[in-house]
Amino acid sequence: MAESLLFSLAESFIGKVASRAVEEASLAFGVYDHLLDIKNKASLIKAVLLDAEQKQRKNHLLREWLQQIKCVFNDAEDVIDDFECEALRKHVVNTSGSIGRKVRRYCSSSNPLVYRLKMAHKIKDIKERFIEVAADRLNFGLQINESDNRVVQRREMTHFHVNESNVIGREHDKQQIIDLLLQDDGDKSLSVIPIVGIGGLGKTTLAKCVFNDKSVVDSFPLKMWVCVSDDFELKHLLIKILNSASASNSNQENFDVDQLQSHLRNKLFGQKFLLVLDDVWNKDRAKWEELKDIIQGVAGTEGSKVLVTTRSHNVADVMRTTSPHILKDLSEKDSLSVFVKWAFKDGEAEKYTELVEIGKEIVQKCGGLPLALRTLGSSLFKKVDIKDWEFVRDNEIWNLPQKEDDILPAIKLSYDQLPSYLKSCFACFSLFEKDFVFSNFHVTELWAALGFLPSPKKGQTIDDIVNQLLHDLMSISFLQDFVDFGNNACIFKLHDLVHDLALYVAKDEFQLVKLHNKKIFENVLHLSFIENDLLGQTSVPTRLRTILFPIGANNKAFLYTLVSRCKFLRILQITNSTYVSLPQSIGKLKHLRCLNLEFNKELKSLPNSVCKLQNLHILKLNGCTNLQTLPNGIGNLISLRQLHITTMQSNFPDKEIAKLTSLEFISVSSCDYLESLFEGIQLPNLKMLMVISCGNLKSLPFHAIPNLESLGIDSCNKIKFSLNHEYDISNLKLKLLGLGSLPQLVSFPQWLQGCVTTLQSLELCNCCNLEELPEWLSTLICLKAIEILECPKLVSLPDNLHQLKNLEYLYIEGCDELCRRYHPKVGKDWHKISHIKQVIIKSPELED
């Protein structure tokens, strides 16, 4: 299925061949004419790819041809990328290389004469392969279509908590389950209630509606929600339950099961609780009894309940203590209501009676599944051309044989209508497990490093493009639990059936390696390992573009072999490992765009060869608490856009950092000896700065970062927030501000008033001495989101919050008086914030 990603690959390749850098390099090395021929042949192939994508399902020879094309394009892209690498390396040598270095270069394999001969041979080989596959296109009678005009019509964003107005036809189911939860069972045994239904019926949505219902909230002082999926390993489940009970994600991986059980006993003691186990697949009764015995053994109060969602009747039989609630298809009337709600703006369906009639026929094909109805309805949103609706209704996908675990036709049909570049981006989700929480930062790293993003329009940044793509995916209901923090910052998940789709469309090219699926595909380009034990059990292809190591990786031989053999890596992620050092040969990964080494606490040094990676866009060293110093020559990483640092050195390499003119994001964390930042330099392109746990840092160099948009400061007790008279801080135009664990913060920084027309998101966390928020906070007219956590002295919000027309999200937790006053519907000041779309107030005291 990865052949459906080919058009985007071809378009990206042709764009690179036409770039000025590649053109100049090809002229310099005498291969310009060959490259021009390659571009022309690639354009001929690209012109028929959209038609080939549609016809490949019925033609085995066509699928084989597309597979050949994919290999040629990937190999050609590596060669073109080599030109770009050479251009960057030449720039560094010419601007900062010593005479000795230039002499050594002529005696090495990068000697221009040697390089020219090598590249000429590669280009000629690629050209011949393109000529051959381009000629074969004539064998399939393919239509020419040179541009992909598919677009996604965007709708207003929705939010994390289920909006019950969007849940249609489940009122009776909801009440039945609530009655089961609230009924007195008359004994002390743990009651387990399964909700059973096929994928896409809305089991999780229904459980969320029940979970958030006032009668349930009032009846269960402690409520916990755990996403289980196919991981029913006892230790992992105990950790998830503890984290949910504590409303945190503290690191408990180092505890054994007995210790976790003890923590859970202390947490649950004396409390009547509701535990939701969502999306359970385990059919092993022994595993369930083991977990049940632990939960039941610490249950403190009669009436505690477990609510389970599962697709399997066998799972329900293993776990239940009462008859399961069988979730059925929506009625035809409710199905049409769901479809119309997502296909049209409110009240507009009556204007398009002909479309509604076609919609009724589409609804009949969706089998009463809310996910299918919502997804297909969303894909037709704002489309008023009758041909678009007939295409969906008459598509052959409805006639294909459907097995129990097959991809839902409605979801696949929505995917088929996506623009090609968005399909490539979507496929990346397959590298992660179900229920993974993605952030915009995470997907930006992946998509940009792999070259999947479309070219920016005038004035657009990479973050703008990613934000647009995520909104497109949200608009067709492919994303869920979406929280928008403003300034392009967000988190989200995938529905499990949408995750299944990602695995399906990405297979052969992307692979998530698990214990039950160890065999690595022959043509795979992007690999992600889940378990440390899997490393080294099988060989990996040398043409890998991506490899994500598992947490706790410790196989040194595998690492060194991988780095020496896989020369075409774009992304290398090794986090939370036990490696003390990295191989010197890492400097030869010249195609590398993203090197993620977060939280490698044993890592003491980096080889200086890292600084040869001129193509590197992202370098993550945060959490490497034993890293002595940054490598020498870090200023040579001239393409670097993000730099995340933890180091034991006391002096920041300011002059080297000043050379990084593309740098947009710096985070500095756990640098205990660092006393100053950015002295005597300017970073005019820096947009985001995070400073965390730097105990000796006394001030921030606002004069050096005049165009900053996002600022986060956490656990920096010596930083002063008074006005810096050397630079007018009021000139800052922040869009996002986060302040955390700052006991010196008693009143709000006055300089924030300078952001009155720009600030979109504000987060305050664990500012234990913060006593009030200023009245002028209500003048921040662009503010979208406010989060306030663990600020106990904060007892009120400004009275004029109703003036903030763009404020959509307010989260308050661990502020007892604040929670009491603004508690939804019952707090005395609730009316002052009731206009905000999404208000979440969390307080153990109120729950008790």
Side-chain angles (χ1 to χ4, degrees):
M1 276 309 302
E3 283 74 21
S4 66
L5 313 179
L6 257 175
F7 186 88
S8 178
L9 174 61
E11 197 165 47
S12 172
F13 171 77
I14 293 169
K16 286 183 179 179
V17 172
S19 70
R20 183 176 178 182
V22 172
E23 183 179 321
E24 290 178 353
S26 65
L27 286 168
F29 293 113
V31 293
Y32 177 78
D33 289 340
H34 288 315
L35 214 58
L36 197 60
D37 288 339
I38 287 174
K39 179 186 172 186
N40 292 335
K41 296 301 181 185
S43 297
L44 290 175
I45 294 170
K46 176 198 159 196
V48 298
L49 285 179
L50 291 175
D51 190 43
E53 178 186 325
Q54 297 294 323
K55 294 177 177 177
Q56 63 170 308
R57 188 184 291 117
K58 295 182 177 180
N59 190 326
H60 174 70
L61 291 176
L62 181 56
R63 284 199 302 274
E64 284 191 353
W65 180 69
L66 290 174
Q67 180 65 39
Q68 293 173 19
I69 288 174
K70 185 175 70 172
C71 292
V72 175
F73 269 116
N74 284 327
D75 291 347
E77 191 175 48
D78 288 336
V79 173
I80 297 304
D81 203 53
D82 209 313
F83 275 131
E84 295 177 334
C85 294
E86 184 64 18
L88 289 170
R89 183 162 52 242
K90 185 177 179 182
H91 173 77
V92 170
V93 170
N94 289 340
T95 56
S96 60
S98 65
I99 294 175
R101 181 176 175 183
K102 293 175 182 177
V103 170
R104 286 194 302 273
R105 184 165 178 259
Y106 275 90
C107 299
S108 72
S109 61
S110 59
N111 178 316
L113 297 177
V114 175
Y115 182 82
R116 178 174 178 168
L117 290 173
K118 182 175 69 174
M119 292 306 294
H121 177 75
K122 287 184 177 181
I123 288 289
K124 185 178 180 181
D125 177 62
I126 292 292
K127 174 186 171 181
E128 291 173 354
R129 291 171 65 189
F130 263 114
I131 291 172
E132 183 178 346
V133 293
D136 289 343
R137 81 190 188 283
L138 302 175
N139 298 332
F140 303 106
L142 299 172
Q143 301 297 312
I144 293 177
N145 185 0
E146 298 192 30
S147 60
D148 186 352
N149 296 318
R150 291 172 291 195
V151 296
V152 177
Q153 298 295 338
R154 298 171 61 185
R155 61 166 69 243
E156 184 180 355
M157 298 302 298
T158 52
H159 296 275
F160 175 80
H161 280 251
V162 175
N163 183 347
E164 294 210 27
S165 67
N166 291 333
V167 181
I168 296 172
R170 295 302 189 199
E171 298 81 4
H172 182 64
D173 295 287
K174 175 185 172 184
Q175 192 56 54
Q176 280 189 312
I177 295 169
I178 290 175
D179 291 343
L180 288 171
L181 290 176
L182 300 185
Q183 75 179 17
D184 185 359
D185 296 323
D187 59 42
K188 294 183 179 180
S189 62
L190 190 67
S191 179
V192 182
I193 305 164
I195 302 174
V196 184
I198 63 173
L201 267 179
K203 300 180 296 296
T204 299
T205 298
L206 177 58
K208 284 181 180 178
C209 290
V210 170
F211 191 78
N212 294 321
D213 186 83
K214 187 178 186 303
S215 62
V216 173
V217 172
D218 291 342
S219 298
F220 295 95
L222 177 61
K223 298 188 297 131
M224 299 163 286
W225 184 289
V226 173
C227 296
V228 180
S229 293
D230 53 2
D231 180 9
F232 212 84
E233 203 275 322
L234 181 61
K235 180 178 178 180
H236 295 168
L237 285 174
L238 292 176
I239 290 172
K240 288 180 178 180
I241 294 170
L242 274 167
N243 286 339
S244 181
S246 307
S248 69
N249 286 300
S250 54
N251 185 12
Q252 303 183 77
E253 291 286 345
N254 295 326
F255 295 137
D256 59 30
V257 170
D258 290 336
Q259 290 171 315
L260 292 169
Q261 183 176 344
S262 177
H263 286 306
L264 188 61
R265 181 182 294 110
N266 293 334
K267 188 65 186 177
L268 301 186
F269 181 76
Q271 296 204 69
K272 179 182 176 183
F273 64 81
L274 169 63
L275 171 62
V276 177
L277 298 176
D278 184 39
D279 191 27
V280 180
W281 289 84
N282 172 64
K283 299 176 184 177
D284 188 333
R285 182 178 293 277
K287 285 187 174 183
W288 162 239
E289 291 293 340
E290 189 177 19
L291 176 63
K292 181 183 175 183
D293 288 345
I294 292 174
I295 298 172
Q296 190 162 268
V298 297
T301 305
E302 294 180 19
S304 293
K305 303 286 176 73
V306 177
L307 184 63
V308 176
T309 71
T310 179
R311 297 188 205 177
S312 169
H313 288 272
N314 292 333
V315 170
D317 289 339
V318 165
M319 301 180 71
R320 70 184 179 91
T321 60
T322 185
S323 297
H325 182 87
I326 308 300
L327 198 59
K328 297 180 179 179
D329 305 340
L330 290 179
S331 68
E332 191 171 327
K333 179 182 176 182
D334 289 333
S335 294
L336 183 60
S337 296
V338 172
F339 179 82
V340 167
K341 184 176 184 66
W342 290 92
F344 299 98
K345 289 184 177 180
D346 289 343
E348 287 201 349
E350 57 193 35
K351 299 179 184 178
Y352 303 100
T353 55
E354 193 173 3
L355 296 183
V356 171
E357 288 303 312
I358 298 174
K360 289 178 181 178
E361 297 179 72
I362 294 173
V363 164
Q364 290 177 358
K365 297 174 183 287
C366 290
L369 297 180
L371 179 64
L373 293 160
R374 191 171 69 242
T375 303
L376 267 189
S378 297
S379 72
L380 291 169
F381 183 66
K382 288 187 178 179
K383 292 183 179 179
V384 296
D385 188 337
I386 195 170
K387 291 182 180 178
D388 291 328
W389 289 63
E390 289 174 338
F391 172 81
V392 171
R393 182 194 63 189
D394 302 331
N395 197 280
E396 65 178 19
I397 198 170
W398 301 112
N399 301 320
L400 296 178
Q402 185 75 12
K403 298 176 184 176
E404 183 178 350
D405 295 328
D406 280 355
I407 303 301
L408 282 179
I411 302 178
K412 177 61 168 60
L413 193 50
S414 296
Y415 168 84
D416 287 341
Q417 297 178 79
L418 292 177
S420 298
Y421 58 82
L422 198 48
K423 290 179 178 179
S424 299
C425 294
F426 176 74
C428 289
F429 294 138
S430 66
L431 293 174
F432 303 89
E433 293 187 281
K434 288 183 178 179
D435 297 314
F436 186 84
V437 180
F438 294 91
S439 73
N440 61 297
F441 301 111
H442 198 184
V443 296
T444 300
E445 292 172 14
L446 283 172
W447 295 349
L450 295 175
F452 288 168
L453 296 175
S455 300
K457 298 175 183 176
K458 187 175 182 180
Q460 260 192 334
T461 65
I462 289 178
D463 290 333
D464 293 332
I465 296 172
V466 171
N467 182 55
Q468 177 186 323
L469 301 189
L470 290 178
H471 276 64
D472 287 347
L473 291 171
M474 185 66 188
S475 292
I476 59 167
S477 301
F478 272 22
L479 310 183
Q480 66 178 21
D481 296 351
F482 196 102
V483 181
D484 185 357
F485 297 107
N487 196 29
N488 294 333
C490 66
I491 57 174
F492 60 91
K493 290 183 179 181
L494 265 63
H495 188 284
D496 55 351
L497 286 185
V498 176
H499 185 270
D500 290 344
L501 173 66
L503 291 173
Y504 174 72
V505 301
K507 64 184 178 184
D508 297 334
E509 190 167 316
F510 296 75
Q511 187 174 0
L512 181 64
V513 184
K514 297 184 177 183
L515 285 171
H516 63 272
N517 182 25
K518 300 178 185 178
K519 185 178 179 181
I520 294 176
F521 302 140
E522 181 182 357
N523 295 315
V524 72
L525 293 176
H526 312 282
L527 265 185
S528 176
F529 287 93
I530 295 300
E531 299 290 341
N532 186 33
D533 293 341
L534 295 169
L535 296 181
Q537 289 193 15
T538 182
S539 61
V540 297
T542 58
R543 303 202 76 85
L544 275 181
R545 301 283 184 89
T546 305
I547 185 161
L548 310 181
F549 276 63
I551 290 175
N554 58 11
N555 191 323
K556 185 175 180 180
F558 178 81
L559 171 64
Y560 276 61
T561 301
L562 176 94
V563 170
S564 65
R565 295 182 66 225
C566 300
K567 301 295 187 183
F568 301 98
L569 282 175
R570 268 63 167 181
I571 298 175
L572 176 59
Q573 176 177 301
I574 310 170
T575 61
N576 294 276
S577 78
T578 61
Y579 296 126
V580 177
S581 62
L582 297 178
Q584 186 74 20
S585 58
I586 198 169
K588 295 182 178 180
L589 301 179
K590 58 184 177 181
H591 300 274
L592 203 63
R593 262 62 169 190
C594 177
L595 178 58
N596 185 350
L597 302 173
E598 288 179 313
F599 302 107
N600 290 304
K601 296 182 179 180
E602 305 299 320
L603 192 64
K604 295 182 179 180
S605 63
L606 288 178
N608 289 333
S609 61
V610 165
C611 298
K612 294 180 179 179
L613 305 175
Q614 274 88 38
N615 248 324
L616 199 65
H617 293 169
I618 300 169
L619 177 59
K620 289 190 165 187
L621 304 172
N622 47 305
C624 299
T625 49
N626 276 312
L627 189 64
Q628 300 295 315
T629 62
L630 298 176
N632 292 328
I634 198 169
N636 290 332
L637 301 178
I638 57 174
S639 300
L640 208 62
R641 293 203 298 260
Q642 290 187 31
L643 178 60
H644 305 264
I645 298 172
T646 296
T647 176
M648 298 179 71
Q649 64 196 90
S650 57
N651 297 318
F652 199 73
D654 296 312
K655 291 183 179 179
E656 287 291 298
I657 298 299
K659 298 177 183 177
L660 306 177
T661 55
S662 298
L663 207 56
E664 297 175 349
F665 183 7
I666 294 180
S667 73
V668 184
S669 60
S670 300
C671 296
D672 296 331
Y673 304 101
L674 203 62
E675 296 182 358
S676 64
L677 278 176
F678 313 149
E679 293 213 338
I681 65 171
Q682 284 279 313
L683 296 172
N685 293 319
L686 197 70
K687 303 296 183 185
M688 181 177 290
L689 174 65
M690 302 288 291
V691 185
I692 303 168
S693 298
C694 295
N696 281 310
L697 199 61
K698 296 178 182 177
S699 63
L700 291 178
F702 290 108
H703 62 280
I705 43 178
N707 297 309
L708 198 67
E709 294 181 354
S710 298
L711 173 64
I713 307 171
D714 191 284
S715 303
C716 299
N717 296 346
K718 292 186 179 180
I719 285 186
K720 297 178 181 178
F721 287 93
S722 58
L723 193 67
N724 184 339
H725 294 291
E726 295 179 7
Y727 174 75
D728 186 3
I729 285 183
S730 63
N731 287 333
L732 281 179
K733 301 301 179 187
L734 293 178
K735 294 181 179 179
L736 187 150
L737 174 65
L739 303 173
S741 300
L742 299 170
Q744 71 272 36
L745 190 65
V746 177
S747 59
F748 220 54
Q750 291 294 319
W751 47 261
L752 190 60
Q753 292 185 75
C755 306
V756 64
T757 59
T758 58
L759 195 70
Q760 297 177 14
S761 182
L762 173 64
E763 179 179 342
L764 304 170
C765 180
N766 198 26
C767 295
C768 57
N769 292 314
L770 182 63
E771 297 177 350
E772 64 176 359
L773 296 178
E775 287 298 323
W776 53 258
L777 192 73
S778 60
T779 65
L780 300 174
I781 57 175
C782 294
L783 201 59
K784 284 183 169 183
I786 300 177
E787 291 195 15
I788 305 172
L789 298 87
E790 305 295 339
C791 298
K793 291 187 178 181
L794 201 57
V795 297
S796 67
L797 299 175
D799 286 334
N800 294 325
L801 283 186
H802 65 274
Q803 296 178 3
L804 297 177
K805 303 300 182 184
N806 290 308
L807 186 60
E808 298 179 343
Y809 178 77
L810 174 63
Y811 183 99
I812 303 174
E813 180 180 349
C815 311
D816 291 343
E817 181 59 25
L818 213 56
C819 292
R820 192 178 297 110
R821 291 181 65 167
Y822 297 94
H823 199 68
K825 300 180 182 178
V826 296
K828 69 175 184 179
D829 288 334
W830 163 246
H831 65 281
K832 296 181 180 179
I833 62 169
S834 60
H835 65 286
I836 301 172
K837 285 185 179 180
Q838 187 179 11
V839 176
I840 303 172
I841 308 288
K842 285 193 174 182
S843 171
E845 178 183 321
L846 292 175
E847 290 176 3
D848 291 341

